[in-house]
Amino acid sequence: MIEDRLRWNRKYSEGRESILHPSLLRFYKLARRGKALDIACGTGTTSIFLSRKGFEVVAFDVSDVAIRKARTKAKKEGVKVKFKRIEAEKFSFGVCEYDLILNFYFLDRGLFPKIKRALKKGGVLIFETYNEDHLGVNPEFKREYLLSRGELLREFIGMEVLYYSEVSNITTFVAKKP
Ligand SMILES: C[S@@+](CC[C@H](N)C(=O)[O-])C[C@H]1O[C@@H](n2cnc3c(N)ncnc32)[C@H](O)[C@@H]1O
């Protein structure tokens, strides 16, 4: 995991910034305005947006450069977000904690059961990342970080699917915990 941290620190030091994903803007309103978790939050763009919209946001990322940038941005914008520098596998998700969980462009399959447990009843998950068609765009991309066709539908079976798409190399899954 130290390699992840160094690799991402380098990217963020070179100026990489997180963007506001169109699917966030489209779907966040499906969740109750409560507590949100932003998994692998990068420089905090999603978290800061949600905090402005009235969510209480917890966010984490392995990169200390990203978290430093996120904290600076939040402070400058007068927004409160609990940013933590921690590896995903060490983060304590808790049980029935969140009204909204975001997972944008990060894939750690070991988190799937933790995400399910951490959602409150009626809580919403917005999960978007690359699928295996991404190899056609970037053949160097590690296959283990790519979703297979229908994978999230199978893994999160039992949740009420509110939206699902596999458009080209991107999979978007939005679902509610019953
Ligand atoms: C493609 S970026 C996505 C960032 C943000 N979610 C977004 O959509 O803009 C992937 C993020 O995962 C973080 N990351 C990589 N490995 C991680 C790990 N083991 N634990 C937590 N975060 C990790 C990186 O630091 C990076 O910020």
Side-chain angles (χ1 to χ4, degrees):
M1 290 304 153
I2 182 84
E3 300 84 33
D4 286 339
R5 182 146 69 96
L6 297 177
R7 191 161 56 89
W8 283 99
N9 274 349
R10 203 174 325 113
K11 292 189 196 215
Y12 287 118
S13 301
E14 286 165 3
R16 186 182 176 115
E17 291 289 333
S18 304
I19 60 155
L20 215 46
H21 300 287
S23 48
L24 170 72
L25 304 179
R26 186 168 169 197
F27 296 118
Y28 81 91
K29 284 188 186 149
L30 295 173
R32 278 185 305 256
R33 206 69 45 112
K35 201 169 169 188
L37 173 65
D38 186 6
I39 295 173
C41 61
T43 60
T45 309
T46 296
S47 309
I48 290 171
F49 171 85
L50 288 174
S51 178
R52 285 194 178 290
K53 295 295 177 190
F55 286 86
E56 181 195 337
V57 188
V58 176
F60 70 84
D61 197 282
V62 75
S63 162
D64 33 274
V65 177
I67 291 296
R68 205 180 312 129
K69 283 187 173 190
R71 285 186 179 136
T72 305
K73 215 173 353 172
K75 196 171 170 191
K76 211 155 106 191
E77 297 190 23
V79 157
K80 238 176 111 183
V81 175
K82 275 186 202 148
F83 285 113
K84 298 184 183 196
R85 210 297 297 165
I86 191 168
E87 286 161 31
E89 64 177 35
K90 293 193 181 147
F91 180 78
S92 173
F93 281 75
V95 180
C96 299
E97 281 276 326
Y98 298 100
D99 299 286
L100 176 61
I101 298 185
L102 297 314
N103 186 116
F104 283 112
Y105 296 89
F106 176 70
L107 183 58
D108 177 345
R109 292 176 173 83
L111 303 186
F112 292 171
K114 297 181 187 181
I115 291 173
K116 281 183 229 167
R117 272 199 302 273
L119 279 168
K120 286 182 189 166
K121 192 173 157 53
V124 171
L125 169 64
I126 305 177
F127 200 126
E128 180 171 277
T129 195
Y130 295 119
N131 58 51
E132 54 202 11
D133 281 7
H134 194 58
L135 288 174
V137 180
N138 179 0
E140 312 282 290
F141 208 89
K142 275 200 188 162
R143 186 174 269 279
E144 65 182 283
Y145 295 143
L146 297 173
L147 289 167
S148 60
R149 293 277 165 198
E151 182 172 352
L152 294 179
L153 292 172
R154 290 189 297 277
E155 291 294 336
F156 289 93
I157 198 158
M159 287 184 70
E160 181 192 344
V161 179
L162 304 175
Y163 178 85
Y164 185 74
S165 71
E166 288 175 351
V167 176
S168 171
N169 59 335
I170 294 173
T171 294
T172 306
F173 174 81
V174 183
K176 188 185 265 194
K177 182 167 168 176

